[in-house]
Amino acid sequence: MNTEYIKILPELKAHYANGGNMMEFLRNHFGRGYNNFDDIICSYDLQSGTYIEFAKKNQDFIQKYSLEVANILEGIDGSINSILEAGVGEATTFANMLGNLKTPCINAFGVDISWSRVHLGNKYLADKNLNYVKLGTGNIFNLPFKDDSIDIVYTSHAIEPNGGVESKLVAELYRVAAKYLVLFEPAYDFADGESKKRMEKNGYCIKLWDVIKEEGYEVVEHRLMNLYSNPLNPTGLTIIKKKGESTNKVGWACPITNIELEVVDNVMTNDSLGVSYPIIKNIPCLLPENAILTSCFNK
C-alpha cells in the first residue's frame, strides 16, 4: 500500500467514526475523480465487521437474498463442482448461499482485497460449520487462479466501486471462469434518476452492461433481481456463458503468472517460480503486492 495512506490513517479513521464516506474523503484528499485500489482497500478494511453486523441484524433479508442467489447459480449448472465468489468480503452472502445449495460444493473459494474482512469471514464460516471453504486475499484485477479453472465465478456488489475499468474487470473474471460468470451488481441500466446520480457520485461501474454488450460476451440472462437491500442501489443479475470446459485443476495460483502454488513451510510457492506469498492465520495473502522474491527458497 502507498505509504501516504498509512500516514493519514488516523485522520481517515476519525472521518469514518464521524459518519463520513471514506472513499469520498480519499478521492478529495488526493484530488482524484475516481476510486483507486488503495482507496478501496482502506475503506473496506476499516469497515471490517460491519457486514457481519448487518447480516445478524437482517437475517431474514440475508437468508432470502442468499437463497435467491443459490437458486440462480444451481439453476444454471445443476450440481456445481467448483465455485468462486470474487470480492467475498466477510463471506455473509457466500456462507448463506452455500448453506442453501441442494448439493454441497466442496471446491468453494473466496477472495477479497482486505485481509481483515477475510479473517472475519473465516470466523463467520466456522460458525456455520463451513470449514471446507477456502478464503484468501486477492485482487479481482489479478485473481490467484489458473485460466478456466472454476466452473462458476460470481460477484455480489464487489466490483461496484471500480468505475471506469469495467472492461478489464469482466475480462479477468471471465478468464478464471470455466462455464459461467454471474454478476450480481448495481443495475445502472435499470435504475431511476436518483439512483443513477448516486452511482455516478460514488464512482460505481455504471458502464458494466455497455461493456458486456460491446465485448460480445454470450449473455444468458440480464434482469433486475427480486431482492436488494438498498432501493438506491438496485441489484442487477447478468449471467454470461463461457464456451469451454473446466480444467478440473482447482487451487491457488500466482496472481501474476497464474502458475499453480502449493504450501511449503507456511508460505505459498512453486519451485519453478522463485516467488513466495505469505500465509497469515491460515489465510494465503495472494495480492500481487504480496509477492516476495525467494529464488533460493530450497537451497
Side-chain angles (χ1 to χ4, degrees), residues 50-264:
T50 59
Y51 287 80
I52 290 177
E53 288 177 12
F54 176 86
K56 289 179 177 179
K57 292 177 181 177
N58 299 273
Q59 293 185 40
D60 184 59
F61 168 79
I62 291 295
Q63 190 58 228
K64 288 179 179 178
Y65 177 76
S66 300
L67 177 61
E68 186 174 0
V69 171
N71 288 338
I72 289 168
L73 297 180
E74 212 158 31
I76 61 176
D77 198 38
S79 180
I80 304 169
N81 177 60
S82 56
I83 194 165
L84 164 67
E85 181 175 330
V88 71
E90 295 160 30
T92 51
T93 297
F94 200 33
N96 290 288
M97 182 280 296
L98 291 170
N100 279 308
L101 290 178
K102 296 179 182 67
T103 303
C105 177
I106 59 171
N107 292 312
F109 292 82
V111 295
D112 197 88
I113 58 173
S114 166
W115 183 92
S116 297
R117 296 181 80 188
V118 170
H119 173 58
L120 295 180
N122 274 334
K123 292 180 178 293
Y124 188 79
L125 286 161
D127 288 343
K128 293 184 176 293
N129 296 315
L130 295 169
N131 297 303
Y132 62 87
V133 181
K134 302 174 185 67
L135 300 188
T137 64
N139 188 343
I140 53 177
F141 290 95
N142 305 94
L143 289 168
F145 299 96
K146 298 171 73 70
D147 296 358
D148 309 309
S149 61
I150 298 179
D151 286 352
I152 295 179
V153 175
Y154 84 94
T155 68
S156 178
H157 286 266
I159 66 177
E160 65 179 32
N162 295 281
V165 288
E166 290 88 343
S167 180
K168 185 177 180 180
L169 280 172
V170 175
E172 177 62 1
L173 293 162
Y174 187 81
R175 176 187 70 80
V176 173
K179 296 181 179 180
Y180 292 93
L181 168 59
V182 185
L183 304 174
F184 300 96
E185 294 293 335
Y188 184 81
D189 49 313
F190 292 124
D192 59 24
E194 186 179 1
S195 299
K196 286 184 176 180
K197 287 180 181 178
R198 180 181 180 274
M199 292 178 191
E200 292 164 3
K201 178 185 177 183
N202 289 337
Y204 280 10
C205 286
I206 61 175
K207 296 182 179 178
L208 190 58
W209 178 235
D210 293 335
V211 163
I212 289 169
K213 290 188 295 181
E214 290 168 4
E215 298 292 338
Y217 292 105
E218 184 180 345
V219 177
V220 175
E221 189 173 6
H222 178 65
R223 63 172 172 84
L224 193 64
M225 285 279 282
N226 296 322
L227 288 169
Y228 38 89
S229 61
N230 184 353
L232 291 177
N233 195 23
T235 304
L237 163 68
T238 306
I239 301 175
I240 298 172
K241 186 176 182 179
K242 187 170 182 179
K243 297 176 181 177
E245 294 295 328
S246 172
T247 61
N248 293 318
K249 293 182 178 179
V250 185
W252 300 113
C254 171
I256 301 169
T257 64
N258 303 137
I259 293 175
E260 190 174 352
L261 297 173
E262 62 179 350
V263 179
V264 181

Side-chain angles (χ1 to χ4, degrees), residues 9-23:
L9 271 179
E11 188 178 355
L12 181 61
K13 288 179 180 179
H15 180 75
Y16 178 55
N18 289 325
N21 183 297
M22 286 187 283
M23 281 194 273

